[in-house]
């Protein structure tokens, strides 16, 4: 865990930006100086906990707003790598956890978003935190674990409010069959959300302004061009855009799936059904939304896929282990590891333009 955290922080720190990167960077930085709904400081839906963490770094370190946001992304990258390892280990053991974390560390998209003044690295960290708590509450549905899952979801929504759409279905999948766990998740999520929502509304200018400017953003930006209104061609174009964010990861999946096709009967034993359902509940809501509703306008930041990247990494690692074990057979685990490691390193080290 410590090694992956240090690797995530160290690699991003070495390549960190030195200034604001984009228009959204400027709006986030202005939010650290003056949080105001009407002035879009930052823009809707306002990222309250991202702003709070950035303000804390400015106060503790005396950094400029841009530098504080960059440092926040760097630190969040360590959490993404560590959290992905933890989730992968829970789902498939240490081999899967290590391969998942390495894939995140070597992802060009994750490297970029972990080194600039944007909120997406922090979104990736909150995504794996919610996934880890959801997996554990599903395995042992107690009131306490449900409470922790609800708290994690509330923090993720505070970091970037789109988590209410993307990650709430995962917590619901993990808890809905068990009354105690579901009650704990609802209680923990509601309590934590009130704790950051009320101060945000007071600081930003009130409920009326919050609803007014969010409604404008939703109507004119988020729902400006959807598959429901403009046809499925929008979805195809959006899916192609998402694919361009993670070319290395997609090439990796393709390489492993080619092997998996030949060894499908054995692969079914190596990739358990509950792990597949967990990964679908984690990634499918965000994937559907970004495909058929919104993937960025007028620019298309690759950071939108950060909420999906850890799930893709764990899926890759599961497929890889299953394919490697299937090729080698149960009598040759060392050969399976060798085959898996060779495939992984060959694709992970591939230049992005080759994968594209």
């Amino acid at each position: 865990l410590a090694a992956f955290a240090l690797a995530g922080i160290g690699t991003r720190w070495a390549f960190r930006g030195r200034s604001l990167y984009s228009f959204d960077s400027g709006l986030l930085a202005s939010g650290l100086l003056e949080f105001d709904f009407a002035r879009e400081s930052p823009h809707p839906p306002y990222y309250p906990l991202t702003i709070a963490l950035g303000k804390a770094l400015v106060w503790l370190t005396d950094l400029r707003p841009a530098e504080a946001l960059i440092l926040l992304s760097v630190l969040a990258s360590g959490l993404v790598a560590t959290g992905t390892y933890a989730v992968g280990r829970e789902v498939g053991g240490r081999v899967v956890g290590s391969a998942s974390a390495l894939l995140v560390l070597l992802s060009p998209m994750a490297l970029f978003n972990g080194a600039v003044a944007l909120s997406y690295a922090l979104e990736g960290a909150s995504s794996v935190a919610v996934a880890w708590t959801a997996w554990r509450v599903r395995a042992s549905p107690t009131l306490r674990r449900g409470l922790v899952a609800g708290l994690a979801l509330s923090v993720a929504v505070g970091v970037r409010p789109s988590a209410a759409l993307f990650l709430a279905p995962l917590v619901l999948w993990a808890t809905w069959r068990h009354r105690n766990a579901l009650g704990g998740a609802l209680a923990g999520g509601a309590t934590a959300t009130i704790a950051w929502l009320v101060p945000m509304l007071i600081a930003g200018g009130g409920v009326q302004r919050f609803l007014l400017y969010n409604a404008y953003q939703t109507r004119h930006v988020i729902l400006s061009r959807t598959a429901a209104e403009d046809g499925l061609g929008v979805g195809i174009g959006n899916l192609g855009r998402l694919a361009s964010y993670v070319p290395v990861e997609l090439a990796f999946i393709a390489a492993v799936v080619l092997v998996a096709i030949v060894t499908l009967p054995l692969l079914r034993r190596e990739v358990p059904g509950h792990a597949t359902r967990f990964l679908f509940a984690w990634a499918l809501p965000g994937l559907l939304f970004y495909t058929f509703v919104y993937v960025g306008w007028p620019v298309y930041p690759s950071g939108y896929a950060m909420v999906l990247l850890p799930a893709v990494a764990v899926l890759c690692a599961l497929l890889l282990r299953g394919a490697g074990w299937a090729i080698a057979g149960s009598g040759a685990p060392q050969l399976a590891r060798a085959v898996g490691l060779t495939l992984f390193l060959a694709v992970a080290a591939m230049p992005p333009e080759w994968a594209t």
Side-chain angles (χ1 to χ4, degrees):
L1 290 172
F4 284 125
L6 290 174
I9 293 171
T11 51
R12 277 57 176 167
W13 181 259
F15 295 102
R16 70 190 184 279
R18 304 291 179 176
S19 62
L20 295 172
Y21 167 72
S22 66
F23 183 69
D24 284 357
S25 285
L27 294 177
L28 285 169
S30 69
L32 300 189
L33 298 173
E34 183 182 8
F35 191 82
D36 190 333
F37 295 153
R39 296 184 180 183
E40 291 198 345
S41 299
H43 63 294
Y46 304 114
Y47 314 92
L49 293 186
T50 300
I51 295 299
L53 290 171
K55 281 180 172 289
L57 281 180
V58 169
W59 181 73
L60 290 171
T61 62
D62 202 28
L63 293 172
R64 294 183 296 118
E67 295 169 337
L69 290 169
I70 291 167
L71 179 58
L72 194 60
S73 293
V74 170
L75 295 175
S77 295
L79 295 176
V80 174
T82 304
T84 304
Y85 170 75
V87 173
R89 185 181 61 182
E90 290 280 339
V91 172
R94 293 180 65 184
V95 171
V96 171
S98 298
S100 304
L102 283 171
L103 189 57
V104 166
L105 285 171
L106 295 170
S107 165
M109 181 189 72
L111 176 60
F112 169 76
N113 284 287
V116 294
L118 290 168
S119 63
Y120 302 118
L122 199 59
E123 183 183 9
S126 63
S127 177
V128 291
V130 172
W132 185 75
T133 60
W135 176 268
R136 290 178 64 81
V137 74
R138 180 77 173 194
S140 179
T142 63
L143 176 65
R144 184 176 66 177
R145 289 192 173 188
L147 182 67
V148 173
L151 289 170
L153 177 61
S154 175
V155 170
V157 174
V159 165
R160 194 161 187 258
S162 56
L165 291 174
F166 300 160
L167 300 176
L170 175 60
V171 175
L172 183 62
W173 170 83
T175 60
W176 73 276
R177 289 184 178 180
H178 307 278
R179 184 181 303 175
N180 287 341
L182 180 59
L186 291 173
T191 303
T193 300
I194 291 171
W196 59 255
L197 181 62
V198 172
M200 180 195 76
L201 293 173
I202 295 171
V207 177
Q208 186 175 359
R209 282 188 174 185
F210 176 78
L211 295 176
L212 174 65
Y213 293 110
N214 265 300
Y216 183 88
Q217 176 89 351
T218 301
R219 185 169 59 252
H220 293 284
V221 179
I222 305 299
L223 301 181
S224 62
R225 189 165 181 257
T226 67
E229 295 181 357
D230 299 320
L232 292 179
V234 172
I236 295 171
N238 286 352
L239 192 60
R241 182 72 65 174
L242 280 174
S244 72
Y245 298 159
V246 285
V248 173
E249 292 80 356
L250 292 174
F252 182 82
I253 292 177
V256 178
V257 167
L258 287 175
V259 178
I261 290 173
V262 182
T263 58
L264 188 59
L266 290 173
L267 183 63
R268 287 175 178 169
R269 293 188 310 182
E270 298 296 339
V271 182
H274 63 282
T276 304
R277 290 189 291 272
F278 165 72
L279 292 171
F280 266 91
W282 185 2
L284 195 59
L287 181 62
L288 290 175
F289 182 84
Y290 283 140
T291 300
F292 296 109
V293 180
Y294 178 73
V295 75
W297 177 93
V299 293
Y300 294 79
S302 65
Y304 284 165
M306 282 298 293
V307 69
L308 306 171
L309 178 62
V312 171
V314 175
L315 173 63
C316 285
L318 281 169
L319 288 172
L320 177 61
R321 187 191 64 173
W325 261 234
I327 291 171
S330 58
Q334 296 301 322
L335 177 59
R337 289 185 175 87
V339 170
L341 183 61
T342 301
L343 278 173
F344 175 79
L345 292 177
V347 181
M350 183 187 298
E353 62 271 17
W354 290 11
T356 304

